[in-house]
Amino acid sequence: MVLFPRLPTHSPMRTPASATMALVLPPIPTATADSVLAVAGVSGGIAVALQLGLVALLKQAKGKPWLSDAPGYVAHQLIALVFMLIATVVGTWAWLSPAAWAGSSASRFLVDNGTTRFLAAMLFGELILWDLPCAIWIKQLRRPDSVIHHVAMAAVAFNAAWLAPIFYGDFTHRL
């Protein structure tokens, strides 16, 4: 009588079905020279609509003075957070993309990059159509250093969207 059956020394490993499935991500957003203005307009329009909607909603927050006392400022901060998160996620996604690693340092510096164009147009639209007007109308944002910062950022975004939409990541050769 065998109490412990002899196990094979080389048992075939089974690969779970989930391990064989590839991670499928949607394509990285890009913009062309023809679509930059549309991306900027949609981005700024969404920011303005969110600002108006959130201000109306936050004014009704009774019993929460940290929301209802400065609804414009709170709405601005929430919307700015969303735009910065989008820029961070898309930028990181593009930077880590194998497509970005495939080219030489010269190609990353000299060839138009659609993702750079998209991010710059998105930020240019929200800066010009929403952020700078908010800096004029919202008391907490009406500081000279803040306005100068946003004007300079709009200039950088304009440059990256229309004049030099190159890969602003790493220009060095990657092994």
Side-chain angles (χ1 to χ4, degrees):
M1 179 174 175
V2 178
L3 292 176
F4 299 103
R6 202 177 153 127
L7 297 174
T9 55
H10 294 91
S11 62
M13 292 186 62
R14 292 180 42 139
T15 305
S18 62
T20 60
M21 294 173 38
L23 181 63
V24 178
L25 295 173
I28 300 171
T30 61
T32 64
D34 295 334
S35 66
V36 171
L37 199 54
V39 171
V42 168
S43 169
I46 288 172
V48 169
L50 286 172
Q51 180 75 25
L52 296 173
L54 281 173
V55 167
L57 185 67
L58 293 171
K59 281 183 178 179
Q60 298 173 0
K62 303 295 183 210
K64 294 184 172 118
W66 57 277
L67 290 177
S68 60
D69 284 354
Y73 180 71
V74 173
H76 177 273
Q77 297 304 90
L78 290 173
I79 296 165
L81 175 65
V82 169
F83 272 96
M84 293 305 100
L85 286 174
I86 292 169
T88 300
V89 168
V90 171
T92 302
W93 182 9
W95 197 81
L96 295 176
S97 166
W101 292 67
S104 67
S105 57
S107 71
R108 286 191 296 275
F109 188 70
L110 299 172
V111 177
D112 287 356
N113 184 290
T115 303
T116 298
R117 202 183 286 270
F118 170 81
L119 285 170
M122 178 190 76
L123 295 175
F124 181 78
E126 68 91 13
L127 283 163
I128 294 297
L129 298 175
W130 166 73
D131 210 358
L132 285 170
C134 281
I136 294 167
W137 287 311
I138 298 171
K139 182 180 175 185
Q140 294 91 332
L141 300 174
R142 206 178 307 142
R143 298 185 332 263
D145 61 330
S146 178
V147 173
I148 291 169
H149 163 77
H150 287 100
V151 168
M153 286 305 303
V156 169
F158 176 84
N159 179 61
W162 278 278
L163 304 177
I166 58 175
F167 183 76
Y168 287 97
D170 185 7
F171 296 126
T172 61
H173 182 67
R174 297 180 182 168
L175 299 174

